[in-house]
Coordinates of all heavy atoms in Angstrom, one line a residue:
F1 N 103.5 122.2 97.6 CA 102.1 122.7 98.1 C 101.6 123.4 96.8 O 101.9 124.3 96.4 CB 102.2 123.6 99.3 CG 102.7 123.0 100.5 CD1 104.1 123.1 100.7 CD2 101.9 122.3 101.4 CE1 104.6 122.6 101.8 CE2 102.5 121.9 102.5 CZ 103.9 121.9 102.8
H2 N 100.3 122.7 96.4 CA 99.6 123.3 95.4 C 98.3 123.9 96.0 O 97.7 123.2 96.7 CB 99.1 122.3 94.3 CG 100.2 121.4 93.6 ND1 100.4 121.3 92.4 CD2 101.0 120.5 94.2 CE1 101.4 120.5 92.2 NE2 101.8 120.0 93.2
K3 N 98.0 125.1 95.6 CA 96.8 125.7 96.0 C 96.0 126.2 94.7 O 96.6 126.9 93.9 CB 96.9 126.9 97.0 CG 95.5 127.5 97.3 CD 95.8 128.7 98.2 CE 94.6 129.4 98.7 NZ 94.7 130.6 99.6
Y4 N 94.8 125.7 94.4 CA 94.1 126.0 93.3 C 92.8 126.6 93.8 O 92.0 126.0 94.5 CB 93.8 124.8 92.4 CG 95.1 124.1 91.9 CD1 95.2 122.8 92.2 CD2 96.1 124.8 91.2 CE1 96.5 122.1 91.8 CE2 97.2 124.2 90.8 CZ 97.3 122.9 91.1 OH 98.6 122.3 90.6
T5 N 92.5 127.8 93.2 CA 91.1 128.5 93.5 C 90.2 128.4 92.3 O 90.5 129.1 91.3 CB 91.3 129.9 93.9 OG1 92.3 130.0 95.0 CG2 90.1 130.6 94.3
F6 N 89.2 127.6 92.4 CA 88.3 127.3 91.2 C 87.2 128.4 91.3 O 86.7 128.9 92.3 CB 87.7 126.0 91.2 CG 88.7 124.8 91.2 CD1 89.4 124.4 92.2 CD2 89.0 124.3 89.9 CE1 90.4 123.4 91.9 CE2 89.9 123.2 89.7 CZ 90.5 122.9 90.7
P7 N 86.6 128.7 90.1 CA 85.3 129.5 90.1 C 84.2 128.8 90.6 O 84.1 127.5 90.6 CB 85.1 129.7 88.5 CG 85.8 128.7 87.8 CD 86.9 128.2 88.7
K8 N 83.2 129.5 91.2 CA 82.1 128.9 91.7 C 81.1 128.4 90.7 O 81.1 128.8 89.7 CB 81.3 130.0 92.7 CG 82.0 130.3 93.9 CD 81.1 131.3 94.7 CE 81.9 131.7 95.9 NZ 81.0 132.6 96.7
G9 N 80.4 127.3 91.1 CA 79.5 126.6 90.2 C 80.0 125.9 88.9 O 79.2 125.8 88.0
E10 N 81.2 125.5 88.9 CA 81.7 124.8 87.8 C 82.2 123.4 88.3 O 82.5 123.3 89.5 CB 83.0 125.5 87.2 CG 82.6 126.9 86.6 CD 82.0 126.8 85.2 OE1 81.8 125.6 84.7 OE2 81.6 127.8 84.7
E11 N 82.2 122.5 87.3 CA 82.7 121.0 87.6 C 84.2 121.3 87.7 O 84.8 121.7 86.7 CB 82.3 120.2 86.6 CG 82.8 118.7 86.8 CD 82.4 117.7 85.7 OE1 81.6 118.1 84.9 OE2 83.0 116.7 85.7
S12 N 84.9 120.9 88.8 CA 86.3 121.0 89.0 C 87.0 119.6 88.9 O 86.5 118.7 89.3 CB 86.5 121.7 90.4 OG 85.9 122.9 90.4
N13 N 88.2 119.8 88.2 CA 88.9 118.5 88.0 C 90.4 118.7 88.5 O 90.8 119.9 88.2 CB 88.8 118.1 86.5 CG 87.6 118.1 85.9 OD1 86.6 117.4 86.4 ND2 87.4 118.9 84.8
I14 N 91.0 117.7 89.0 CA 92.5 117.7 89.1 C 93.2 116.5 88.3 O 92.7 115.4 88.5 CB 92.9 117.5 90.5 CG1 92.4 118.7 91.4 CG2 94.4 117.3 90.7 CD1 93.1 119.9 91.2
I15 N 93.8 116.8 87.2 CA 94.4 115.8 86.4 C 95.7 115.3 86.9 O 96.6 116.3 87.3 CB 94.6 116.3 84.9 CG1 93.2 116.4 84.3 CG2 95.3 115.3 84.1 CD1 93.2 117.2 83.0
V16 N 96.2 114.1 87.1 CA 97.4 113.7 87.7 C 97.9 112.8 86.6 O 97.4 111.7 86.2 CB 97.3 113.0 89.0 CG1 98.7 112.5 89.4 CG2 96.8 113.7 90.1
D17 N 99.1 113.3 86.0 CA 99.7 112.4 84.9 C 101.1 112.0 85.3 O 102.1 112.7 85.2 CB 99.8 113.2 83.6 CG 100.3 112.5 82.4 OD1 100.6 111.3 82.6 OD2 100.4 113.0 81.3
P18 N 101.3 110.7 85.8 CA 102.6 110.1 86.2 C 103.4 109.8 84.9 O 104.6 109.5 85.1 CB 102.3 109.0 87.0 CG 100.9 108.6 86.5 CD 100.2 109.6 86.0
T19 N 102.8 110.0 83.7 CA 103.6 109.6 82.5 C 104.5 110.6 82.0 O 105.3 110.5 81.1 CB 102.8 108.9 81.5 OG1 101.9 109.8 80.9 CG2 101.9 107.8 82.0
S20 N 104.0 111.8 82.2 CA 104.6 113.1 81.6 C 106.1 113.3 82.1 O 106.4 113.2 83.2 CB 103.8 114.3 82.1 OG 104.3 115.5 81.4
K21 N 107.0 113.7 81.1 CA 108.3 113.9 81.4 C 108.8 115.2 80.5 O 108.3 115.4 79.5 CB 109.2 112.7 81.1 CG 108.8 111.4 81.8 CD 109.1 111.5 83.2 CE 108.5 110.2 83.9 NZ 108.4 110.3 85.3
I22 N 109.8 115.9 81.0 CA 110.3 116.9 80.1 C 111.2 116.3 79.1 O 111.3 116.6 78.0 CB 111.1 117.9 81.1 CG1 110.2 118.7 82.0 CG2 111.9 118.9 80.3 CD1 111.0 119.5 83.0
F23 N 111.9 115.2 79.5 CA 112.6 114.3 78.5 C 112.8 113.0 79.1 O 112.9 112.8 80.3 CB 113.9 115.0 78.5 CG 115.1 114.3 77.5 CD1 115.1 114.4 76.3 CD2 115.9 113.4 78.2 CE1 115.9 113.7 75.3 CE2 116.9 112.7 77.3 CZ 116.8 112.8 76.0
G24 N 112.8 112.0 78.2 CA 113.0 110.7 78.5 C 111.9 109.7 78.2 O 110.9 110.2 77.5
T25 N 112.0 108.5 78.7 CA 110.9 107.5 78.4 C 110.3 106.9 79.7 O 111.0 106.7 80.6 CB 111.6 106.4 77.7 OG1 112.1 106.9 76.4 CG2 110.5 105.3 77.4
T26 N 109.0 106.9 79.9 CA 108.4 106.3 80.9 C 108.1 104.8 80.7 O 107.5 104.4 79.7 CB 107.0 107.1 81.3 OG1 107.2 108.4 81.4 CG2 106.3 106.5 82.5
Y27 N 108.6 104.0 81.6 CA 108.5 102.4 81.4 C 107.2 102.0 82.1 O 106.4 101.3 81.5 CB 109.7 101.8 82.1 CG 111.0 102.0 81.4 CD1 112.1 102.5 82.2 CD2 111.1 101.8 80.1 CE1 113.4 102.8 81.5 CE2 112.4 102.1 79.5 CZ 113.6 102.5 80.2 OH 114.7 102.7 79.6
H28 N 106.9 102.4 83.3 CA 105.6 102.0 83.8 C 105.3 103.0 85.0 O 106.4 103.6 85.6 CB 105.5 100.5 84.3 CG 106.6 100.2 85.3 ND1 106.6 100.3 86.6 CD2 107.8 99.5 85.0 CE1 107.6 99.7 87.1 NE2 108.4 99.3 86.1
T29 N 104.1 103.0 85.4 CA 103.6 103.9 86.5 C 102.6 103.1 87.3 O 102.0 102.1 86.9 CB 102.9 105.2 86.0 OG1 101.8 104.9 85.2 CG2 103.8 105.8 85.1

C-alpha cells in the first residue's frame, strides 16, 4: 500500500518503471 500526500496546486505525477532492478537484466515488460 502506497500513500502519497502531494502539495496543493501542483501538477502531480506517479512514475511506474517496470524495468528498474537492484541487480540483473530486464528482458521485456
Side-chain angles (χ1 to χ4, degrees):
F1 298 89
H2 304 239
K3 180 181 179 181
Y4 300 126
T5 304
F6 293 88
K8 292 183 178 179
E10 296 282 353
E11 179 181 351
S12 303
N13 313 303
I14 297 288
I15 296 169
V16 179
D17 183 0
T19 70
S20 182
K21 305 291 172 200
I22 295 173
F23 175 82
T25 301
T26 302
Y27 294 127
H28 56 84
T29 65

